[in-house]
């Protein structure tokens, strides 16, 4: 079936009880290690990580382990600046630099990107699309990076739960409560009959 993917995805419309659990990693390696251990122990085999390339330069073992565990890898760019505030040449330099680092560490050339701070406008989307990227946003924001408490993180995800959502979490060291909330979130989603898929699988489901 021939179809044109959207430039940006917040979620998809589906009747299947599937969700995409996604993690941004912008700094450190300790929370990432804990998150990956939880995903392994909980036998979650489908998730998508958006990797900041400076983090990968400092902690390549994080990217290597994510790749070895078979998880999907997307780009979170290089400098954590709002793309809409910069011209297209700057965007191309940033995204290309990030792509090369991700490829060097993991062997993956990503075609999904989550822009820093989730910032974009139509010009940014057009540029990223021209570069072969699909921009991934979210529809269930855990706000775990704010460390609001395990109960608040869990409730924010569950209150926004429906088929086809993209869940945003963080595995950066600044997110100090993610590893505590994650097991509850995984268990609750499964209790409600939801299955985990990668972002790419979610996108493909919409275009069946």
């Amino acid at each position: 079936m021939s179809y044109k993917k959207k430039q940006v995805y917040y979620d998809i419309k589906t009747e299947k009880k599937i969700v995409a659990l996604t993690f941004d990693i912008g700094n450190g390696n300790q929370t990432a290690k804990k998150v990956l251990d939880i995903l392994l122990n909980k036998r979650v085999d489908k998730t998508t990580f958006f990797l900041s390339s400076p983090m990968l330069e400092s902690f390549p073992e994080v990217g290597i382990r994510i790749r070895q565990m078979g998880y999907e890898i997307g780009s979170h760019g290089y400098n954590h600046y709002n793309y809409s505030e910069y011209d297209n040449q700057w965007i191309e330099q940033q995204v290309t630099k990030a792509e090369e680092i991700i490829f060097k560490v993991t062997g993956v050339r990503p075609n999904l990107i989550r822009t820093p701070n989730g910032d974009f406008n139509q010009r940014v989307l057009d540029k990223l699309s021209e570069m072969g990227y699909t921009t991934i946003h979210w529809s269930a924001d855990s706000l775990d990076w704010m460390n609001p408490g395990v109960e608040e993180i869990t409730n924010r995800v569950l209150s926004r739960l429906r088929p086809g959502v993209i869940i945003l979490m963080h595995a950066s060291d600044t997110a100090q409560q993610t590893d505590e909330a994650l097991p509850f979130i995984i268990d609750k989603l499964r209790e409600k009959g939801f299955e985990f898929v990668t972002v790419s699988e979610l996108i493909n489901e919409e275009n069946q």
Side-chain angles (χ1 to χ4, degrees):
M1 180 178 181
S2 177
Y3 60 87
K4 187 178 187 302
K5 290 183 180 179
K6 300 173 186 173
Q7 289 184 320
V8 60
Y9 285 85
Y10 297 82
D11 52 25
I12 71 158
K13 293 181 179 179
T14 179
E15 294 182 1
K16 292 185 179 180
K17 299 186 81 171
I18 54 175
V19 296
L21 180 61
T22 72
F23 296 89
D24 293 355
I25 310 182
N27 57 73
N29 64 350
Q30 294 304 304
T31 298
K33 181 182 183 300
K34 294 174 184 176
V35 165
L36 289 169
D37 286 346
I38 291 166
L39 294 174
L40 179 64
N41 292 335
K42 291 287 187 181
R43 298 183 180 180
V44 178
D45 57 1
K46 300 288 183 69
T47 189
T48 302
F49 285 87
F50 293 92
L51 305 181
S52 167
S53 43
M55 180 280 298
L56 275 184
E57 289 180 309
S58 298
F59 306 106
E61 71 277 6
V62 172
I64 291 169
R65 187 179 178 197
I66 289 170
R67 175 62 170 163
Q68 288 175 339
M69 291 178 72
Y71 296 132
E72 184 170 50
I73 293 173
S75 175
H76 198 38
Y78 195 79
N79 289 321
H80 206 268
Y81 303 151
N82 290 339
Y83 282 13
S84 64
E85 298 174 9
Y86 294 85
D87 62 24
N88 283 358
Q89 183 179 0
W90 182 91
I91 292 172
E92 183 162 355
Q93 290 171 344
Q94 289 284 307
V95 174
T96 300
K97 185 175 185 179
E99 181 179 313
E100 291 304 321
I101 293 168
I102 292 171
F103 178 71
K104 180 180 178 181
V105 173
T106 69
V108 173
R109 286 200 180 275
N111 58 14
L112 303 176
I113 188 167
R114 177 170 282 150
T115 53
N117 303 313
D119 173 82
F120 57 81
N121 57 20
Q122 190 58 54
R123 176 182 60 84
V124 172
L125 293 178
D126 289 343
K127 179 59 182 175
L128 294 173
S129 181
E130 175 191 305
M131 295 181 68
Y133 280 85
T134 300
T135 301
I136 306 302
H137 203 66
W138 57 82
S139 46
D141 187 353
S142 68
L143 291 183
D144 57 347
W145 62 274
M146 296 180 68
N147 300 308
V150 172
E151 185 176 355
E152 176 67 16
I153 293 169
T154 304
N155 288 342
R156 282 190 60 85
V157 172
L158 295 179
S159 66
R160 290 157 177 79
L161 183 61
R162 58 180 172 72
V165 301
I166 297 174
I167 300 168
L168 170 62
M169 301 192 75
H170 295 77
S172 305
D173 280 4
T174 45
Q176 298 176 3
Q177 298 167 341
T178 303
D179 61 295
E180 297 179 63
L182 183 57
F184 293 108
I185 291 171
I186 292 170
D187 289 346
K188 288 295 184 182
L189 289 175
R190 284 177 167 159
E191 283 176 17
K192 294 176 182 294
F194 283 86
E195 296 182 6
F196 300 102
V197 297
T198 65
V199 168
S200 290
E201 288 173 331
L202 199 69
I203 291 171
N204 289 336
E205 184 67 34
E206 185 175 63
N207 292 288
Q208 292 292 326

